[in-house]
Each structure stands twice: as C-alpha cells, then as structure tokens.
C-alpha cells in the first residue's frame, strides 16, 4: 500500500512523464543529446529486449550506434502522427501512432528515473 500523499504521487507521476519524454527527445534528436541520458535513466536500468545490454551504459551503447546511422536508417520523428503518454503510480506508457505503424513503450519509474523498459 502506498502511503504517499496524493500530491506527492502526482508529482512522482509528472516526474516519470518528463523522464519518458526526455528519453524520446534523445532518441529523436542529435547524437549530442546522449550526454543527457543520465538525467532520465537509472544506472541499473533493466531492459527486457533480449537484443540490448542491461543498464544505463547498455542503453547508451545502443543509442550511440543508432544515432550514428544515417538519418534514413534511424527512427524518423516526421512519421509521428500523435503521441499519448499515460502514467499511473510508477508506470509510464508511451503510445506513438505513426504513418508506418504503432509503437508502445512501457517503463517503470522511480525517483524520476526510468528503471525498467518493456
């Protein structure tokens, strides 16, 4: 049972939303944005994608590679139609409708940092 005051829970939810949004600013932005990864992702980040390494540094390695690709081979934000961000307690769901499909990313957040991704 969570004993936090409703206002504290609301602040935590908003911090979680900002962390999710911050990560996607990095994903869709220039490679220099990777310098901000520590602001949004916990050091012991858990990644449930078996093709990626664990931890913040595993995520940094992955995005270093992705962001070094030519723009034509990267995830293109111009194909984004709309983004929905839903947060409840320690979970944040990002739903992106694109001209070429749909993306869903679910995160667990603690203390304003992304802790886990499905």
């Amino acid at each position: 049972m969570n004993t936090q005051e409703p206002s504290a829970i609301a602040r935590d939810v908003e911090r979680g939303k900002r962390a999710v949004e911050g990560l996607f600013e990095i994903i869709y932005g220039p490679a220099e944005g990777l310098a901000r990864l520590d602001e949004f992702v916990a050091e012991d980040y858990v990644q449930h994608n078996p093709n990626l390494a664990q931890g913040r540094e595993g995520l940094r390695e992955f995005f270093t590679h992705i962001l070094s690709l030519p723009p034509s081979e990267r995830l293109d934000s111009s194909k984004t139609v709309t983004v929905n961000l839903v947060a409840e307690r320690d979970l944040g769901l990002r739903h992106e409708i694109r001209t070429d499909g749909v993306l869903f990313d679910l995160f667990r957040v603690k203390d304003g940092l992304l802790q886990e991704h499905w």
Side-chain angles (χ1 to χ4, degrees):
M1 179 175 201
N2 194 329
T3 58
Q4 283 183 293
E5 293 292 321
S7 61
I9 293 170
R11 279 192 304 274
D12 286 349
V13 167
E14 287 307 311
R15 286 177 66 201
K17 284 182 178 180
R18 283 195 303 273
V20 172
E21 290 170 334
L23 179 63
F24 278 84
E25 288 172 7
I26 291 170
I27 292 169
Y28 285 130
E32 296 79 29
L34 272 173
R36 297 183 60 217
L37 194 66
D38 296 6
E39 294 176 37
F40 308 113
V41 178
E43 186 175 350
D44 58 349
Y45 181 76
V46 176
Q47 176 59 256
H48 290 283
N49 180 337
N51 298 313
L52 300 182
Q54 296 299 310
R56 181 192 298 146
E57 290 311 309
L59 194 61
R60 187 183 317 278
E61 289 172 17
F62 174 71
F63 285 125
T64 297
H65 168 72
I66 294 298
L67 293 172
S68 71
L69 295 173
S72 62
E73 295 180 36
R74 294 175 48 188
L75 195 57
D76 182 357
S77 64
S78 71
K79 294 181 179 180
T80 301
V81 176
T82 189
V83 172
N84 300 297
L85 188 57
V86 180
E88 181 73 29
R89 303 285 178 173
D90 66 343
L91 295 176
L93 173 70
R94 185 178 185 279
H95 167 238
E96 180 177 341
I97 299 171
R98 301 173 51 81
T99 58
D100 60 351
V102 176
L103 298 175
F104 286 94
D105 289 280
L106 179 64
F107 297 92
R108 184 174 57 82
V109 185
K110 182 178 178 189
D111 299 326
L113 294 175
L114 304 176
Q115 301 285 324
E116 193 167 7
H117 173 260
W118 292 268

